[in-house]
Amino acid sequence: MARKVFLVFSLGMLALVGCRQGGGKRSIAIITPSHDNPFFKAEADAAANRARALGYDASVNTHNDDAHKQDELVDVAIANGASAIILDNAGADASVAAVAKAKGANIPVFLIDREINANGIAAAQIVSNNYQGALLGAQEFVRLMGEKGTFVELLGRESDTNAQVRTRGYHEVLDKYTGMRLVGQQSANWSQTEAFQKMETLLQAHPDIKGVISGNDTMALGAAAALKAAGRQEVIVVGFDGSPDVLAAIRAGSIKATVLQPAARIATMAVDQAHGLLTKGSSGAAEKQSIDCELVTPSNVDQFGVFTRK
């Protein structure tokens, strides 16, 4: 009698799980910042492609770095019974509650690109080693500058942990060279348009600068465009991300180097780990994971594709 009761209970639980997963078809919700930035589009595409290859439905949405919109998208994923969420979050502090809510609904969240300021809530936090990448970029910037000259720095969004880590890594190297002098530092909030405007202002205040080190490639492109408009293409520009547009700019000579973040690889890893957790009960990896970046220069630029090594 006990065996029959247990069997009926087990079948009922399986039916409930099957209903929650849409009749047995599992789904993965992928939420990132705006796809206007090719970095975020690349990671979303890589995650969606991998999820579908593994047999999942994949929904892709963007929060545009709006924590309120992110909360709404997480609520939708929970209501739709997502099996897992892949999230490039909208803020290290602002995203903690959304990740905790998903965990409370038994939906594991795999963070990519950006960490949150909490441990033990996300199933994984897989990020580029921004500090290591910043060291690479700064070392190449110093070499290109000949270890001397004035320069300016374009910072990312101040609330973004990656922006803070990158500038810290840059200055770990740059501050050791007494012949190099930082004369201007402005946040352009990861924006190409804003970087163009900030670069114009910085050029007016410091017309003799020799270099620009940027917190990401989008801002580097804006700076390079402003320099071209001012007839100052000789100014050294170094970025961070490894975007296709900057790879093309390196080939053309308007940007001298960048640091590639393996966005596609990280997004694919997140989906693979989600699949492992859902099918085997374990992702097979630690929560905090840091993936090294690579320096891209004119000598090796053809070895790289869309945020990945070919």
Side-chain angles (χ1 to χ4, degrees), residues 51-129:
R52 289 165 184 148
L54 290 171
Y56 295 88
D57 282 333
S59 65
V60 179
N61 288 287
T62 62
H63 54 61
N64 300 327
D65 283 310
D66 180 336
H68 178 69
K69 184 175 182 181
Q70 174 182 261
D71 291 348
E72 292 177 343
L73 291 172
V74 170
D75 285 342
V76 170
I78 292 170
N80 289 341
S83 304
I85 297 172
I86 309 298
L87 174 65
D88 190 338
N89 72 75
D93 293 314
S95 303
V96 172
V99 176
K101 182 184 286 189
K103 182 181 180 182
N106 295 317
I107 299 174
V109 178
F110 291 78
L111 298 175
I112 56 175
D113 180 45
R114 303 170 178 174
E115 297 176 304
I116 57 172
N117 289 331
N119 297 328
I121 301 174
Q125 302 193 49
I126 314 172
V127 300
S128 298
N129 190 338

Side-chain angles (χ1 to χ4, degrees), residues 141-151 180 210-211 236:
F141 186 65
V142 168
R143 188 191 72 78
L144 291 164
M145 293 276 291
E147 301 185 8
K148 62 184 179 181
T150 57
F151 68 97
M180 295 183 63
K210 186 178 177 181
I236 295 159

Side-chain angles (χ1 to χ4, degrees), residues 136 140 247 250-251 256-260 293-305 308-310:
L136 288 178
E140 180 64 7
L247 299 188
I250 290 173
R251 293 186 185 98
K256 300 302 181 185
T258 188
V259 176
L260 181 130
C293 301
E294 297 187 70
L295 181 68
V296 183
T297 67
S299 65
N300 69 357
V301 64
D302 291 332
Q303 298 174 21
F304 297 92
T308 188
R309 181 179 279 275
K310 292 180 181 178

